[in-house]
């Protein structure tokens, strides 16, 4: 029997960096019954696939607790409550930062003997005063780092908090010895000095980085908040007693609801009465309202703009289109792109490696450093630990994924997972299904050619004769007449011959409509109209003849017309450097005619739906990464076979379960926009990773003192760099903390630029 696996997301507390993510993932992954676990630092959530018959939430929480972190049950709080909780956390960070910054500035000034009243004290008394002032604030403001480091140490692991705690405690402990046992230094010929300001200012700067990072990260999920906020809290239900306003949670499937102009539609449903235009931009990204009348679907969160409508609820709660979209985006934001594996692999060994580098630097400068050697060795040790904190590394990929998928959702582009987002920018070819993707998906009259009578009269006779036919071509003729406002007559003696045409009496006239074989069967000559029919056929159109009272009086051409935006979409895909391929079940002649009009050179014609996946394989066998674009239903095998499946649909009818990317509107221009979004997101990720890696690669050696011999050879530190490197060329730990905080904020800010990126091929 197959294992009944559940997949759930749980909030995680206590994570601060990429190594924390690695520890939580390992703890969950090693729990018996768990098949997969993925942790996202940006969302602070763990996605866990597990067998509920083998493992409980308590077991998962216990495993995470053993790793030094806290796993919370599935969040039952509302989006507003979650926002309030996060706002409280941001306020707490701000409060701790401000307190530590003020005290840190005071202690720094006091260390330089510029505080009135402290100048006259002895060094011992002044150091004691600084100890009393700085110690409570340091351990209160930095409490989260110390508890995190202690928890990690108890479980024989290390994380970013370990680096901060070891560095700041080292500076504090050195200062405590200098304050209360100065003889320890004096006996070795060293001058006792204190670095309380270094420890507390480092914590202040890291808290500032955390605060700026938290406020920026709150904006990365703005797309989700916007979507969640679009569902109204109440609905007007039509009952036997009249209209009753009720909470949205009380609405049941089958209820009749009323929506007035300007109101949002509360749940998904189908219109029972009334007519209106509905703004569906939040679903499809399209700005033009969609007309809604009896029998047409409406979707929760969309805005009724003009008339009042009554509709019957068909989907409520998590079943609505907007709820499914939110769930899809949240799933994508919590997923990992393959490129993130590099960061995860490095994070696994990064913190222990940094501690080792810091220890080696300490020992080196104890042996060969300038006097006082202990001071400079300690400062180097602290600087390496602080500057190497891998915050930026852990945030580089998930923040860009969050913003990119949110940006797509706002534009009607739903991306199923981060892997699809990454793969899309590597595509070589895009295979486009013709019907319903490049074309309207239903036949329409394109040409009416009359001989011996007016075109309008010809259309009236033909449409009247076709009224009783259910053939798609007949429906197209009738629809054309209705669009022209032509009044149709009731046909008499109607008869249809399969594959040929129909005959009927219309207003006393014998009308025959059909192909050339049907005309020949009735011994009718098409004369010069035959050449026109051949020309129309080469253009991908289906010509049908109209005969009246034994004379061929005209020709009507019908085709599945090309969408107005298709040509622009093909041009945009080519501008992105992609090969564009059209696949269709049409004959080669019709397919090539349509492809030629669109500017597509490669055509796969007469392909049945079940064989489209084979055509995708054929392209892949040529070494190409292929995207398949279709309606997501009969193209499902091809969508699944492609490197990236892109479904085009509208509203709740989209095939979200099949395609990696879903375009909520029927606009094929969404395909190049989705690929452009992938390129922009991957560009941001690469920039973030480069910054995170380059920052550590460049600055860890600087913090370790590599510039000391350089400055020594130059005769000293230039005056312009004295504030950063002092007299000997060792990096000030306070500057290291500022640089570390800046790196995290830079990564998040760079990701946020995606919110305003242009989704075009340019």
């Amino acid at each position: 029997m197959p294992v009944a696996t559940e997949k759930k997301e749980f909030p995680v507390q206590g994570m601060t960096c990429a190594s924390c993510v690695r520890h939580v993932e390992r703890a969950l992954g090693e729990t018996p019954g768990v098949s997969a676990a993925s942790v996202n630092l940006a969302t602070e959530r763990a996605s866990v696939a597990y067998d509920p018959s083998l493992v409980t939430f308590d077991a998962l929480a216990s495993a995470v607790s053993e790793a030094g972190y806290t796993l919370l049950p599935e969040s039952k709080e509302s989006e507003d409550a979650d926002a309030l909780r996060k706002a409280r956390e941001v306020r707490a960070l701000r409060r701790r930062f401000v307190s530590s910054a003020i005290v840190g500035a005071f202690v720094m000034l006091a260390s330089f003997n510029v505080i009135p009243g402290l100048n006259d004290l002895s060094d011992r008394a002044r150091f004691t005063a600084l100890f009393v002032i700085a110690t409570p604030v340091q351990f209160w403001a930095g409490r989260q780092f110390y508890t995190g480091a202690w928890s990690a140490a108890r479980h024989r692991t290390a994380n970013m908090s370990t680096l901060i705690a070891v560095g700041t405690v080292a500076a504090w402990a050195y200062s405590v010895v200098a304050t209360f046992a100065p003889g320890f230094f004096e006996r070795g010929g060293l001058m006792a000095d204190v670095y309380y300001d270094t420890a507390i200012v480092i914590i202040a700067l890291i808290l500032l980085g955390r605060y700026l990072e938290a406020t920026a990260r709150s904006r990365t999920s703005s797309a989700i908040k916007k979507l969640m906020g679009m569902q109204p809290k109440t609905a007007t239900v039509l009952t036997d007693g009249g209209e009753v306003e009720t909470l949205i949670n009380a609405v049941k499937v089958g209820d009749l609801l009323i929506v007035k102009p300007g109101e949002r539609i509360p749940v998904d449903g189908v219109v029972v009465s009334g007519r209106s235009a509905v703004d569906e931009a939040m679903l499809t990204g399209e700005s033009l309202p969609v007309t809604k009348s009896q029998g047409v679907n409406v979707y929760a969160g969309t805005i009724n703009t003009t008339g009042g409508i009554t509709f019957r609820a068909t989907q409520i709660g998590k079943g609505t289109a907007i709820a499914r979209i939110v769930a899809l985006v949240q799933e994508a934001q919590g997923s990992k792109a393959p490129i993130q594996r590099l960061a995860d692999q490095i994070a696994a060994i990064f913190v222990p490696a940094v501690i080792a580098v810091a220890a080696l630097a300490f020992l080196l400068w104890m042996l060969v450093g300038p006097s006082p050697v202990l001071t400079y060795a300690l400062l180097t040790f602290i600087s390496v630990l602080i500057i190497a904190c891998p915050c930026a590394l852990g945030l580089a990929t998930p923040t860009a994924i969050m913003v990119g998928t949110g940006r797509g959702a706002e534009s009607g582009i739903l991306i199923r997972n981060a892997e699809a987002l990454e793969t899309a920018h590597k595509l070589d070819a895009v295979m486009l299904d013709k019907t319903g993707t490049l074309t309207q998906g239903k036949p329409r009259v394109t040409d009416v050619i009359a001989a011996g009578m007016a075109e309008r009269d010809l259309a009236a006779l033909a449409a009247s004769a076709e009224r009783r036919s259910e053939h798609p071509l007949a429906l197209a003729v009738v629809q054309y007449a209705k669009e022209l406002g032509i009044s149709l007559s009731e046909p008499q003696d109607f008869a249809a011959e399969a594959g040929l045409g129909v005959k009927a009496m219309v207003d006393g006239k014998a009308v025959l409509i059909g192909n050339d074989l049907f005309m020949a069967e009735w011994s009718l000559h098409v004369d010069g109209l035959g050449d026109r029919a051949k020309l129309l056929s080469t253009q991908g159109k289906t010509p049908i003849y109209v005969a009246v009272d034994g004379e061929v009086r005209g020709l009507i051409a019908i085709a599945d017309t090309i969408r107005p935006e298709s040509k622009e979409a093909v041009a945009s895909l080519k501008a992105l450097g992609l090969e564009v391929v059209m696949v269709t079940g049409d004959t080669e002649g019709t397919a090539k005619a349509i492809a030629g009009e669109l500017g597509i050179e490669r055509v796969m014609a007469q392909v049945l739906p079940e064989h489209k996946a084979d055509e995708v394989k054929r392209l892949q066998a040529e070494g190409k990464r292929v995207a398949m674009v279709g309606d997501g239903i009969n193209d499902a095998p091809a969508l699944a076979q492609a490197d990236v499946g892109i479904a085009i649909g509208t509203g709740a009818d989209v095939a979200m379960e099949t395609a990696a990317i879903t375009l909520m509107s029927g606009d094929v221009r969404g395909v190049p926009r989705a690929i452009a979004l992938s390129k922009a997101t991957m560009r941001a990720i690469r920039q973030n990773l480069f910054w995170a890696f380059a920052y550590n690669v460049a600055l860890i050696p600087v913090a370790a003192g590599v510039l000391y011999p350089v400055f020594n050879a130059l005769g000293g530190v230039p005056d312009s760099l004295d504030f950063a490197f002092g007299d000997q060329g060792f990096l000030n730990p306070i500057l290291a903390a500022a640089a570390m905080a800046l790196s995290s904020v830079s990564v998040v800010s760079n990701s946020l630029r995606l919110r305003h990126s242009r989704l075009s091929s340019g």
Side-chain angles (χ1 to χ4, degrees):
M1 289 181 63
V3 178
T5 301
E6 286 188 8
K7 187 175 183 180
K8 291 185 178 180
E9 284 197 351
F10 305 99
V12 183
Q13 290 183 346
M15 298 189 301
T16 55
C17 64
S19 58
C20 299
V21 170
R22 184 80 173 183
H23 294 149
V24 177
E25 283 183 341
R26 187 170 58 194
L28 290 169
E30 292 176 353
T31 303
V34 174
S35 56
S38 177
V39 178
N40 188 309
L41 177 62
T43 59
E44 297 176 306
R45 298 180 72 83
S47 177
V48 187
Y50 64 99
D51 182 353
S53 66
L54 298 177
V55 62
T56 63
F57 169 77
D58 289 341
L60 296 174
S62 176
V64 173
S65 177
E66 282 295 312
Y69 305 90
T70 304
L71 189 75
L72 302 176
E74 282 186 287
S75 179
K76 302 298 183 184
E77 61 187 357
S78 68
E79 196 71 15
D80 291 340
D82 184 53
L84 287 172
R85 178 180 59 79
K86 289 182 177 178
R88 284 196 299 270
E89 292 174 1
V90 170
R91 286 196 299 271
L93 279 172
R94 184 173 60 226
R95 187 165 55 248
R96 291 174 186 268
F97 158 67
V98 171
S99 301
S100 56
I102 292 172
V103 173
F106 176 85
V107 172
M108 182 179 289
L109 293 173
S111 299
F112 288 104
N113 282 321
V114 294
I115 299 293
L118 292 179
N119 299 359
D120 301 330
L121 298 177
S122 65
D123 285 347
R124 180 75 176 268
R126 184 163 53 86
F127 291 171
T128 303
L130 295 181
F131 167 81
V132 172
I133 295 169
T135 299
V137 175
Q138 174 180 331
F139 287 93
W140 167 74
R143 181 173 178 270
Q144 64 191 90
F145 306 121
Y146 300 124
T147 55
W150 172 247
S151 181
R154 284 194 304 113
H155 300 97
R156 297 181 297 281
T157 63
N159 54 29
M160 184 191 120
S161 293
T162 304
L163 303 183
I164 297 170
V166 171
T168 55
V169 168
W172 176 82
Y174 180 97
S175 303
V176 169
V177 174
T179 300
F180 299 104
F184 173 80
F185 297 100
E186 293 166 355
R187 283 191 296 272
L190 302 176
M191 182 180 68
D193 205 351
V194 294
Y195 293 94
Y196 294 118
D197 57 333
T198 299
I200 198 168
V201 171
I202 284 173
I203 287 175
L205 287 170
I206 293 171
L207 288 172
L208 173 60
R210 287 282 182 87
Y211 169 70
L212 295 174
E213 178 188 309
T215 54
R217 279 165 61 180
S218 68
R219 296 198 296 272
T220 61
S221 58
S222 61
I224 288 289
K225 294 175 183 175
K226 193 180 295 183
L227 286 171
M228 293 291 288
M230 286 179 174
Q231 189 160 3
K233 307 296 184 192
T234 61
T236 303
V237 180
L238 189 61
T239 66
D240 294 337
E243 298 179 11
V244 177
E245 186 170 331
T246 183
L247 292 174
I248 193 74
N249 296 335
V251 176
K252 300 184 292 294
V253 172
D255 282 351
L256 282 177
L257 295 95
I258 294 174
V259 183
K260 298 171 184 176
E263 293 182 344
R264 285 193 183 272
I265 293 170
V267 296
D268 290 4
V270 60
V271 177
V272 174
S273 63
R275 185 181 181 87
S276 182
V278 175
D279 180 354
E280 294 186 340
M282 50 75 65
L283 273 181
T284 65
E286 299 295 324
S287 57
L288 293 177
V290 180
T291 300
K292 302 291 183 178
S293 56
Q294 186 176 357
V296 179
N297 290 330
V298 292
Y299 304 105
T302 57
I303 303 172
N304 181 30
T305 61
T306 54
I309 55 173
T310 301
F311 72 96
R312 190 175 303 279
T314 57
Q315 294 287 347
I316 59 174
K318 293 183 178 180
T320 62
I322 190 170
R324 291 165 62 200
I325 290 170
V326 168
L328 186 71
V329 177
Q330 287 177 328
E331 181 182 346
Q333 290 188 339
S335 64
K336 286 191 177 184
I339 196 172
Q340 192 170 341
R341 293 173 193 149
L342 174 63
D344 291 344
Q345 289 165 358
I346 291 175
I349 59 173
F350 189 79
V351 173
V354 167
I355 293 174
V357 169
L360 287 173
F362 178 83
L363 293 174
L364 174 67
W365 297 119
M366 281 294 291
L367 294 173
V368 300
S371 181
V373 290
L374 181 59
T375 298
Y376 285 113
L378 179 66
L379 292 178
T380 302
F381 177 76
I382 295 170
S383 294
V384 171
L385 292 177
I386 298 302
I387 208 163
C389 290
C391 298
L393 190 62
L395 294 168
T397 299
T399 53
I401 294 294
M402 284 183 69
V403 180
T405 52
R407 175 77 174 88
E410 291 176 345
S411 304
I413 301 169
L414 299 184
I415 300 165
R416 188 170 182 80
N417 53 50
E419 187 170 357
L421 187 64
E422 178 173 341
T423 305
H425 91 287
K426 303 175 184 175
L427 292 170
D428 303 301
V430 176
M431 180 182 285
L432 297 159
D433 180 50
K434 179 189 76 83
T435 305
T437 300
L438 293 170
T439 65
Q440 301 283 3
K442 56 184 179 181
R444 294 180 61 85
V445 172
T446 59
D447 303 84
V448 176
I449 302 166
M453 65 187 305
E455 289 182 6
R456 188 178 179 88
D457 294 337
L458 182 75
L461 288 171
S464 296
E466 296 276 30
R467 285 186 73 179
R468 293 293 167 257
S469 174
E470 295 181 354
H471 194 281
L473 299 184
L475 298 176
V477 173
V478 173
Q479 181 62 30
Y480 175 75
K482 287 181 178 178
E483 289 172 359
L484 292 179
I486 296 174
S487 298
L488 302 183
S489 302
E490 185 66 30
Q492 305 296 321
D493 301 328
F494 173 84
E497 292 191 36
L500 295 174
V502 302
K503 68 181 185 67
M505 294 296 295
V506 178
D507 296 334
K509 297 176 180 177
V511 180
L512 297 173
I513 306 172
N515 56 25
D516 52 354
L517 294 176
F518 192 52
M519 296 297 114
E521 184 180 291
W522 288 85
S523 302
L524 298 176
H525 300 289
V526 296
D527 299 325
L529 290 174
D531 293 335
R532 296 293 298 274
K534 289 178 183 177
L535 178 62
L536 290 168
S537 294
T538 63
Q539 297 171 353
K541 301 173 182 178
T542 301
I544 56 174
Y545 296 96
V546 181
V548 181
D549 291 335
E551 296 287 338
V552 178
R553 293 298 186 183
L555 192 63
I556 296 176
I558 300 170
D560 182 5
T561 55
I562 293 172
R563 292 178 181 272
E565 64 274 9
S566 293
K567 193 169 185 178
E568 180 186 338
V570 170
S572 296
L573 289 170
K574 287 185 172 182
L576 288 167
L578 299 165
E579 179 184 4
V580 181
V581 182
M582 188 181 83
V583 62
T584 177
D586 287 344
T587 62
E588 187 134 355
T590 299
K592 285 187 174 179
I594 293 173
E597 191 174 339
L598 291 169
I600 298 175
E601 289 80 24
R602 188 167 180 179
V603 178
M604 296 175 175
Q606 294 180 298
V607 179
L608 297 175
E610 59 268 26
H611 295 155
K612 288 178 183 176
D614 295 331
E615 298 301 329
V616 174
K617 289 179 185 177
R618 188 144 65 93
L619 283 175
Q620 290 171 328
E622 297 173 11
K624 296 181 172 70
R625 290 188 183 91
V626 182
M628 171 65 194
V629 185
D631 62 17
I633 302 169
N634 58 11
D635 295 321
L639 288 168
Q641 174 62 40
D643 295 278
V644 178
I646 303 178
I648 290 188
T650 53
D653 297 326
V654 295
M656 289 191 251
E657 295 303 317
T658 306
I661 298 175
T662 300
L663 307 179
M664 296 300 291
S665 73
D667 191 340
V668 72
R669 288 176 296 186
V671 177
R673 288 172 187 158
I675 296 171
L677 175 63
S678 169
K679 288 179 179 290
T681 304
M682 292 310 301
R683 186 163 54 246
I685 289 174
R686 284 194 293 267
Q687 290 167 347
N688 288 349
L689 288 174
F690 171 80
W691 171 253
F693 287 132
Y695 161 83
N696 283 309
V697 168
L699 294 185
I700 287 178
V702 172
V706 73
L707 293 180
Y708 166 69
V710 176
F711 289 135
N712 200 35
L714 294 174
V717 178
D719 292 341
S720 59
L721 297 177
D722 187 64
F723 75 100
F725 294 97
D727 295 332
Q728 298 290 346
F730 288 92
L731 183 65
N732 188 330
I734 291 175
L735 265 290
M740 188 277 288
L742 178 63
S743 69
S744 299
V745 176
S746 298
V747 161
V748 178
S749 300
N750 187 51
S751 296
L752 286 170
R753 292 192 305 113
L754 287 168
R755 296 171 66 193
H756 308 291
S757 62
R758 290 181 65 249
L759 303 185
S760 65
S761 58

